[in-house]
Amino acid sequence: MRVLVTGHEGYLGTLLTPLLNRRGYDVRGLDIGLYRHCSTGTRVPIPALRRDIRDVEREDFDGIDVVIHLAGLSNDPLGDLDPGATEQINLAATMRVGECARGAGVSRLLFASSCSVYGAAGEEFLDEDSVLNPQTPYAACKMHAEQGLSRLANDDLAVTHLRLATVFGASPCIRFDLVVNNLTAWAATTGRVNLKSDGKAWRPVLHVRDVCTAFKMVMEDRRLAIGSNVFNVGDTKANFRVEGLADLVRDAIDGARISYSEQPEPDQRSYRVNCDRFHAAVPSFRARYSVTDGIRDVRDLVARLELAPGDFEGSTYRRSDHLAQLRDSGLVDDAFRWIAPTGAEDLALKVSSE
């Protein structure tokens, strides 16, 4: 089976592609390369296209059996950086990927959606039939992309939407703009678990390696190779208030204490999700890694890299800051396209190391 992973050089992709390689799949990648110099570890090389998903053509998908679509602007701050570009990349280009894949005869499309589509919710658990209430351009694009890709599903193309819980844990392309990773990095470098909000919002969470396993299991389950399906991917038991996650970080790192901001940032996003449908559809899936496991892995990575607060809060490990720096340095335009493709990646390496 030949599998194409878009965004294969990102936070998820750098773990998912070697996992699929180990399973014996013929894995190909497709990535624009914006974050390739944000890597902290060794990546397994695979055949890949250096391509913006806005520019893909049907021929790029010839011979592909399964597409795992990870590429896009990856969180709310990135979406807020330029809502117009977010719509181009996360919605219009996602539809282009789907249409090209269907035209090329791809049989399965797995889409990395997000539980952020639920937006501002109350205390009740939400399942896949709950009302969607996205609060940001990023979340709205995920919702509309789900709807559009579902319309592409037919007898020849099965589409599965994986609404991912908030991901955490170490990766070769680590991100510190994710809540558990960020809290851990603060605690590991300063002894303070730095809460920037009031901590009352709910989040479902799932370790990045468990996310990769979920994609693999969905891809391998032929019962899901029909029509359009949507799943909350996580563990119903792993819904936490942000302040509860802060408690876990404090408990896992010796001497750490929780520090609340004097002017906490408002966070309207709060959602608790029920993942029972996913566990019924893929009964062999189990979350292997706890929040504490992820905290310890990130703590050890911070120590190995000898990071200071200015490092993990800087442009190398925060996606919105990295893109803003590439743009301000004249390497990408306002729509996050390379301005000078020849040599742009070498320049990006120089920028990311400054």
Side-chain angles (χ1 to χ4, degrees):
M1 185 185 295
R2 181 169 289 178
V3 184
L4 176 66
V5 180
T6 71
H8 72 286
E9 291 180 342
Y11 180 60
L12 292 177
T14 49
L15 287 173
L16 179 59
T17 51
L19 172 63
L20 298 179
N21 261 328
R22 290 194 298 271
R23 294 285 294 184
Y25 296 110
D26 181 359
V27 185
R28 308 297 173 96
L30 187 152
D31 201 296
I32 191 175
L34 290 174
Y35 307 118
R36 67 174 315 199
H37 295 304
C38 298
S39 179
T40 62
T42 302
R43 293 177 299 183
V44 177
I46 60 172
L49 290 173
R50 180 63 70 216
R51 185 88 82 243
D52 191 312
I53 56 172
R54 290 169 287 189
D55 301 328
V56 295
E57 302 291 346
R58 184 197 59 76
E59 292 78 11
D60 295 331
F61 298 84
D62 285 346
I64 300 298
D65 300 298
V66 178
V67 172
I68 299 179
H69 183 44
L70 307 178
L73 300 181
S74 57
N75 61 9
D76 293 313
L78 270 178
D80 295 339
L81 193 61
D82 190 324
T86 301
E87 186 170 347
Q88 291 174 24
I89 297 167
N90 286 16
L91 180 53
T94 289
M95 291 305 303
R96 185 181 182 97
V97 167
E99 290 160 358
C100 289
R102 187 170 77 167
V106 172
S107 61
R108 300 282 304 277
L109 173 62
L110 278 60
F111 174 51
S113 188
S114 168
C115 284
S116 66
V117 297
Y118 297 115
E123 296 292 309
E124 299 300 318
F125 279 94
L126 306 169
D127 63 21
E128 291 84 352
D129 298 320
S130 297
V131 173
L132 305 184
N133 186 23
Q135 298 294 297
T136 64
Y138 166 81
C141 286
K142 288 293 188 184
M143 178 184 73
H144 292 306
E146 283 187 15
Q147 295 166 350
L149 291 175
S150 291
R151 291 192 291 269
L152 294 179
N154 58 21
D155 291 342
D156 299 315
L157 176 66
V159 178
T160 304
H161 309 291
L162 286 76
R163 289 180 184 163
L164 303 179
T166 300
V167 188
F168 66 91
S171 157
C173 194
I174 186 67
R175 289 174 54 189
F176 288 113
D177 50 7
L178 296 163
V179 59
V180 173
N181 293 359
N182 186 262
L183 294 174
T184 301
W186 275 107
T189 56
T190 70
R192 293 182 292 108
V193 186
N194 189 25
L195 267 177
K196 300 176 184 178
S197 70
D198 64 7
K200 301 301 182 185
W202 284 100
R203 290 288 189 279
V205 295
L206 187 65
H207 194 284
V208 61
R209 291 188 181 275
D210 287 323
V211 171
C212 294
T213 299
F215 273 103
K216 177 188 72 69
M217 287 185 170
V218 168
M219 185 187 78
E220 293 175 339
D221 196 324
R222 298 196 60 81
R223 295 169 301 172
L224 302 177
I226 184 171
S228 177
N229 299 284
V230 59
F231 299 109
N232 294 336
V233 177
D235 185 338
T236 305
K237 297 178 182 178
N239 283 271
F240 297 87
R241 292 192 190 275
V242 173
E243 61 186 1
L245 295 171
D247 289 339
L248 291 174
V249 173
R250 178 200 59 204
D251 294 344
I253 296 182
D254 291 342
R257 58 182 177 83
I258 296 176
S259 173
Y260 286 87
S261 172
E262 293 182 1
Q263 296 181 319
E265 300 172 2
D267 191 349
Q268 300 301 319
R269 304 162 301 160
S270 181
Y271 39 89
R272 306 172 76 187
V273 301
N274 181 297
C275 302
D276 292 351
R277 179 185 295 184
F278 179 63
H279 288 269
V282 190
S284 58
F285 176 80
R286 293 289 183 275
R288 295 179 55 197
Y289 301 94
S290 69
V291 177
T292 300
D293 291 332
I295 292 167
R296 290 170 176 161
D297 289 343
V298 172
R299 175 201 63 192
D300 294 345
L301 179 62
V302 168
R304 178 172 66 81
L305 297 175
E306 300 181 337
L307 296 180
D311 299 326
F312 67 79
E313 288 280 0
S315 63
T316 300
Y317 304 113
R318 292 177 64 88
R319 297 297 189 252
S320 58
D321 290 348
H322 182 72
L323 285 189
Q325 186 174 22
L326 291 180
R327 182 189 60 193
D328 294 344
S329 300
L331 299 177
V332 301
D333 62 19
D334 288 341
F336 309 121
R337 289 182 177 274
W338 290 116
I339 291 175
T342 302
E345 293 178 4
D346 292 332
L347 288 170
L349 175 58
K350 178 177 183 295
V351 168
S352 65
S353 64
E354 291 177 348

